[in-house]
Amino acid sequence: PKDLLSLYYGRLFPYTPFYRWLSYGGVRKNYLTNREFSFTLDGDVYIRYLSFSDQSELEKEMQQRTPCKIDIGAVFSHKPKDHKAIQASAFRAEEKELVFDIDMTDYDDVRYCCSGAAICEKCWPLMTIAIHILHRVLTQDFGYKHLLFVYSGRRGVHCWVCDEAARQLNASGRSAVAEYLGVVKGGENQAKKVQLRGTLHSSLRYASDVIGKYFPDLALDNQDILGTAERYEKVLALINVEEVRETLRTQWARKSTSSRKRWAELEKAVDGHKELINCLDEIRFQYAYPRLDVNVSKGVNHLLKSPFSIHPKTGRVCVPIAYGAVDQFSPLEVPTINELCRQLDKFAAEQAQASATTEEGEPSRKRKRVPEWTKTQLSQSVGIFVDFIEKMEEEWIAQRQESQKMDMTW
């Protein structure tokens, strides 16, 4: 509802840290000015090529328009709001964070608890696995340091890689990183989507370890991937040796048992077959390795939903996820805009009651003005966001000091 959005943008949206993030320490004069935003307004009205000169203008526009959704795009060569007055060939997307979008609907062929937009605690570990593997690949294999993971507000996770080197990648560089992570390949009509050759690369060995940790609970218990003939046939189709497939099919058709017991039988059946050396990992990867929307990552000018935007369908806030607490994160506990408004009202009522019960004659104390979001569940999420920004700022300060030293040396 528009009145709730008005309250959210008027009192709760964390404008100051948001502006600090997208300014990147004043990396260059027009960095925020030339950044594209898009707003989706009530009635599904979509407005692109918005841009703002400073934090004040950004706040004013958000509060006046009360967008149902905010997307962030690239930093352009000119102000996006002036794009119609600029020659098309001169208006270029120059920089943007390297972004990844992981959507639970892409796992619908390997999850049985939910489908489509629905999520639950049984399938959410697929997102947890994705975050762990993305973090390892991007930090260890590519050397990036500043990764912001954000809950999409409904059924997935976004990753913003904010290092300067990542922001400056061209389309081919972004494609190379995305393709490096592209282990699960093929459309819905392709049965076997993972092919692993020979000895696994260290990155894939790490992924195997991560998936191995979650697989028994996730796939065998919660998704029960071997629980019925229809389900175990999909797994058998991933085994390249017909003799092994037939042995297991006969064995499993004869008696009803748990997915855990059937998996143990599968492990025993493939053992010793040279051509099946990576078979278990191929199955585990097909059921749990990150499935990325590669097109989101490839384009420099692709827009992605902003942190702290409200998801228009669920009303949940797109909150940052602390990597150190990713296993404890639950999307079902993320506050909705309605809940945040109730928390503000509750805080105000408690403060009023506290004031009313103050002893007569006691001098009134001036309370320090604090941001409204600190009075709600949003406080923890903004804290995660600020910690992320401060780590980047520490690096910027160190780089400036080093640059000054070099100048003095010269």
Side-chain angles (χ1 to χ4, degrees), residues 114-183:
C114 305
S115 64
I119 57 167
C120 71
E121 299 289 0
K122 287 184 175 182
C123 55
W124 186 256
L126 287 164
M127 296 294 108
T128 306
I129 290 169
I131 291 172
H132 279 302
I133 292 173
L134 267 178
H135 187 273
R136 193 275 178 198
V137 169
L138 294 169
T139 57
Q140 299 299 311
D141 295 357
F142 290 95
Y144 297 129
K145 296 178 184 176
H146 305 296
L147 276 57
L148 180 66
F149 290 98
V150 180
Y151 170 51
S152 72
R154 192 179 195 184
R155 61 188 180 215
V157 169
H158 299 155
C159 173
W160 299 73
V161 187
C162 299
D163 300 63
E164 185 177 23
R167 301 198 310 269
Q168 293 176 350
L169 282 174
N170 59 20
S172 60
R174 291 165 194 268
S175 295
V177 179
E179 293 297 338
Y180 184 87
L181 282 154
V183 173

Side-chain angles (χ1 to χ4, degrees), residues 218-233:
L218 167 66
L220 303 179
D221 293 344
N222 292 337
Q223 301 306 324
D224 196 21
I225 64 169
L226 301 173
T228 67
E230 183 184 2
R231 293 181 187 182
Y232 70 59
E233 282 296 340

Side-chain angles (χ1 to χ4, degrees), residues 150-353:
V150 180
Y151 170 51
S152 72
R154 192 179 195 184
R155 61 188 180 215
V157 169
H158 299 155
C159 173
W160 299 73
V161 187
C162 299
D163 300 63
E164 185 177 23
R167 301 198 310 269
Q168 293 176 350
L169 282 174
N170 59 20
S172 60
R174 291 165 194 268
S175 295
V177 179
E179 293 297 338
Y180 184 87
L181 282 154
V183 173
V184 182
K185 298 176 180 178
E188 57 183 88
N189 296 321
Q190 185 170 329
K192 190 174 175 67
K193 295 182 173 71
V194 178
Q195 302 279 352
L196 301 174
R197 309 290 185 195
T199 305
L200 296 185
H201 181 274
S202 60
S203 178
L204 295 179
R205 287 201 305 274
Y206 175 83
S208 177
D209 290 342
V210 169
I211 293 170
K213 173 185 168 187
Y214 293 91
F215 191 80
D217 288 342
L218 167 66
L220 303 179
D221 293 344
N222 292 337
Q223 301 306 324
D224 196 21
I225 64 169
L226 301 173
T228 67
E230 183 184 2
R231 293 181 187 182
Y232 70 59
E233 282 296 340
K234 289 171 70 173
V235 175
L236 292 176
L238 309 180
I239 301 171
N240 291 333
V241 176
E242 187 178 352
E243 174 195 344
V244 174
R245 283 200 307 271
E246 285 304 319
T247 300
L248 288 170
R249 183 178 286 116
T250 303
Q251 196 172 340
W252 293 347
R254 197 180 303 131
K255 59 175 181 176
S256 179
T257 186
S258 70
S259 284
R260 281 201 183 233
K261 286 183 178 176
R262 282 178 173 159
W263 182 260
E265 291 164 355
L266 189 155
E267 287 180 318
K268 188 176 179 182
V270 302
D271 187 37
H273 287 266
K274 284 185 178 179
E275 58 270 61
L276 298 177
I277 192 167
N278 289 323
C279 178
L280 296 177
D281 273 326
E282 287 176 341
I283 296 170
R284 283 190 287 249
F285 278 39
Q286 178 142 338
Y287 276 80
Y289 192 86
R291 299 185 175 199
L292 308 175
D293 185 339
V294 176
N295 291 324
V296 171
S297 304
K298 285 181 177 180
V300 181
N301 63 346
H302 192 100
L303 291 99
L304 188 65
K305 196 178 319 110
S306 169
F308 298 102
S309 179
I310 303 293
H311 195 289
K313 293 286 197 303
T314 64
R316 293 193 190 277
V317 185
C318 300
V319 295
I321 301 169
Y323 177 67
V326 63
D327 286 87
Q328 288 74 51
F329 179 83
S330 168
L332 305 179
E333 294 174 9
V334 172
T336 64
I337 188 170
N338 300 61
E339 289 166 347
L340 291 174
C341 293
R342 283 198 294 270
Q343 289 166 17
L344 267 184
D345 291 342
K346 183 183 177 187
F347 185 90
E350 288 172 351
Q351 289 296 103
Q353 186 178 5

